[in-house]
Amino acid sequence: MLPEKDSKRLGEKDPKEDPSVTLFREYLRIKTVQPEPDYDSAVKFLERIASELGLQCQKVEVCPGRVITILTWKGTNPQLRSILLNSHTDVVPVFEESWRYDPFAAFKDSDGNIYARGAQDMKCVSIQYIEAIRRLKAEGRHFPRTVHMSFVPDEEIGGHKGMEMFVKRPEFITLNVGFALDEGLANPSDTFTVFYGEKCPWWIKVKVEGNPGHGSRFIEDTAAEKLHRVITSFLEFREREKQRLKSEKHLTLGDVTSLNLTMLNGGISFNVVPCEMSAAFDIRIPPTVDLKAFEEQLTAWCRAAGEGVTYEFHQKYTDQSMTSTEESDPWWKVFSGTCKDMNMKLKCEIFPAATDSRYIRAAGHPAIGFSPMNRTPVLLHDHNEFLNEQVFLRGIEIYAHLIPALASVPPLQAEI
């Protein structure tokens, strides 16, 4: 539990603390945790920020109770395509008994580590965007391209009532997005990880039918036997991909297909052989894999298990768009060049899971996943998620360089 001596758990301000850190901790205390996020409080918080910074604030309700909040800093040449700084407001659930401190108190220890759900994923980035723009506006800076900050709900449960719906709305089209930044991951080394593409999540439920009977007999052709064959085929593939990742040192998790058995169902009694059973699999497929051929392999595994074996998709994402990291690409050249000017070492990867960037790319806009957190363990869904305040403050400085650079990219050929 949180030590009693930390009075700031109640929201009291520390006069010695950087105001950006104080704001970050305030945002962390808003309990936007799934499955019942307090989105109303988050929206009110963002509306207050918009008022403080003199930014336009637009709210788009994409479905009941799911609001996209957009803060806009208009450029001097608003006809040019805009820069979109995206982040999500929801966070994943916690097991409070496994946390060192209250996960929604934003406790800061003597080393400056701030413990809270969302400290890495991704409320840090939201506030870093805001504080970078606060700094730039205070300096009287102006840029040709408009900058939008979007704060979206439900990313942690797939974004189906968030960004997936938003990119199809006229309000999104009106943003006239040219280039987007979204979340990435921490990196424990000195390097910053940059993500230019994502895996396609496939959630598959395999159903098998077989002969039922009494549990005392050797029933032929049972559902369990068929399901065993299916599971064996799937998990043998999993092991091959796991070994490939280990043996081919240049590969990252984003380069191989991950597969996990996540649910098993079936049976009605200890002494009854069931006529039906099922297994659910979470599969994440790199954009370099032929999806048609991969599904044919799934079909073959099920067919080989016997009669009465079928599968259905509960999620089947198929867009394999990737953002260019070629130096000839004007957006990447500016992004990477600005990072190089700050002596930042970048490592480009495919994101191993899935973020809202995939919807932005599918809508035809280049997007980079980037959270400026190096020298930090990856704890985004783990217990005791934390971010050090110095790493957080360095992130503001990084965005304070990236935003002007991206918002000043000269008109592209398509814009002339």
Side-chain angles (χ1 to χ4, degrees):
M1 292 300 293
L2 187 65
E4 289 300 316
K5 64 181 181 180
D6 187 46
S7 61
K8 291 177 284 301
R9 72 191 186 280
L10 301 176
E12 297 178 15
K13 292 185 178 180
D14 179 356
K16 297 179 182 178
E17 184 173 73
D18 188 292
S20 298
V21 174
T22 302
L23 187 70
F24 177 37
R25 296 174 71 191
E26 179 186 349
Y27 190 37
L28 288 169
R29 293 183 182 112
I30 300 175
K31 208 168 182 178
T32 52
V33 60
Q34 293 288 356
E36 297 181 359
D38 181 8
Y39 285 139
D40 289 343
S41 293
V43 171
K44 290 176 183 177
F45 173 85
L46 295 168
E47 287 178 312
R48 190 191 87 203
I49 297 298
S51 178
E52 289 177 4
L53 298 184
L55 300 175
Q56 298 174 15
C57 181
Q58 181 183 15
K59 294 183 293 183
V60 181
E61 190 171 32
V62 294
C63 66
R66 296 298 181 263
V67 173
I68 312 287
T69 307
I70 307 109
L71 308 189
T72 296
W73 187 12
K74 194 172 182 179
T76 57
N77 190 355
Q79 286 74 35
L80 296 177
R81 291 192 174 275
S82 67
I83 307 302
L84 179 66
L85 309 176
N86 184 63
S87 62
H88 61 83
T89 54
D90 60 325
V91 300
V92 294
V94 298
F95 298 96
E96 294 197 30
E97 65 276 9
S98 299
W99 280 66
R100 190 174 304 158
Y101 308 107
D102 180 341
F104 299 102
F107 175 77
K108 184 172 71 173
D109 69 14
S110 58
D111 294 322
N113 295 321
I114 300 166
Y115 289 83
R117 179 56 89 216
Q120 292 188 15
D121 183 18
M122 64 173 298
K123 290 185 174 182
C124 54
V125 173
S126 302
I127 303 301
Q128 287 166 336
Y129 291 156
I130 289 167
E131 291 301 284
I133 287 178
R134 186 192 302 274
R135 180 183 302 183
L136 295 168
K137 286 180 69 68
E139 294 171 356
R141 306 281 296 277
H142 296 281
F143 311 104
R145 297 180 185 273
T146 294
V147 177
H148 302 288
M149 291 184 285
S150 54
F151 304 85
V152 303
D154 280 18
E155 190 275 345
E156 295 292 6
I157 55 174
H160 307 303
K161 294 183 179 180
M163 184 60 81
E164 185 177 20
M165 298 182 74
F166 184 45
V167 296
K168 301 170 185 176
R169 299 272 301 226
E171 293 91 343
F172 179 85
I173 296 170
T174 302
L175 296 181
N176 193 28
V177 174
F179 182 80
L181 292 178
D182 198 3
E183 69 178 309
L185 292 174
N187 190 318
S189 74
D190 285 340
T191 301
F192 293 85
T193 315
V194 176
F195 299 97
Y196 60 91
E198 303 193 11
K199 292 182 176 181
C200 291
W202 283 14
W203 293 352
I204 295 176
K205 186 174 184 179
V206 179
K207 294 181 179 180
V208 298
E209 297 176 351
N211 293 325
H214 195 275
S216 63
R217 301 170 56 209
F218 286 112
I219 308 297
E220 295 292 333
D221 206 24
T222 64
E225 291 172 297
K226 296 176 184 179
L227 189 60
H228 178 262
R229 296 182 197 119
V230 169
I231 291 173
T232 298
S233 295
F234 277 61
L235 294 189
E236 284 179 349
F237 170 79
R238 179 186 189 273
E239 184 62 24
R240 291 195 296 273
E241 289 294 279
K242 181 180 175 182
Q243 292 306 318
R244 190 162 71 92
L245 177 62
K246 285 184 178 181
S247 62
E248 300 181 35
K249 300 302 182 183
H250 68 284
L251 296 179
T252 68
L253 184 57
D255 296 315
V256 298
T257 300
S258 61
L259 182 153
N260 283 288
L261 172 62
T262 53
M263 289 187 288
L264 281 171
N265 288 285
I268 57 172
S269 176
F270 276 103
N271 63 344
V272 176
V273 176
C275 63
E276 183 176 299
M277 301 184 77
S278 68
F281 298 91
D282 181 346
I283 309 172
R284 310 295 176 107
I285 310 168
T288 51
V289 170
D290 184 327
L291 296 181
K292 184 175 183 293
F294 187 78
E295 185 170 359
E296 288 173 352
Q297 180 63 76
L298 297 180
T299 302
W301 288 336
C302 291
R303 187 183 300 118
E307 294 293 327
V309 180
T310 59
Y311 65 85
E312 62 183 21
F313 284 98
H314 286 243
Q315 181 175 186
K316 185 184 183 183
Y317 197 78
T318 58
D319 185 271
Q320 296 181 296
S321 300
M322 291 183 282
T323 298
S324 173
T325 55
E326 299 293 329
E327 285 301 312
S328 58
D329 182 85
W331 297 111
W332 175 252
K333 183 177 181 179
V334 168
F335 177 89
S336 61
T338 303
C339 290
K340 184 178 180 180
D341 290 343
M342 290 185 281
N343 297 314
M344 295 169 58
K345 184 180 179 181
L346 303 181
K347 184 180 181 183
C348 295
E349 296 185 12
I350 298 294
F351 197 83
T355 73
D356 281 339
S357 292
R358 68 189 189 273
Y359 301 124
I360 298 171
R361 293 189 191 100
H365 309 290
I368 289 293
F370 173 69
S371 293
M373 299 182 290
N374 66 341
R375 303 176 185 174
T376 301
V378 180
L379 298 168
L380 70 167
H381 287 187
D382 209 340
H383 309 312
N384 298 309
E385 179 182 351
F386 75 85
L387 184 65
N388 186 270
E389 65 179 334
Q390 294 306 316
V391 175
F392 168 76
L393 291 169
R394 170 63 172 153
I396 296 173
E397 182 180 344
I398 290 169
Y399 282 121
H401 284 78
L402 282 173
I403 293 170
L406 292 168
S408 300
V409 167
L412 306 180
Q413 188 62 41
E415 298 172 316
I416 298 174

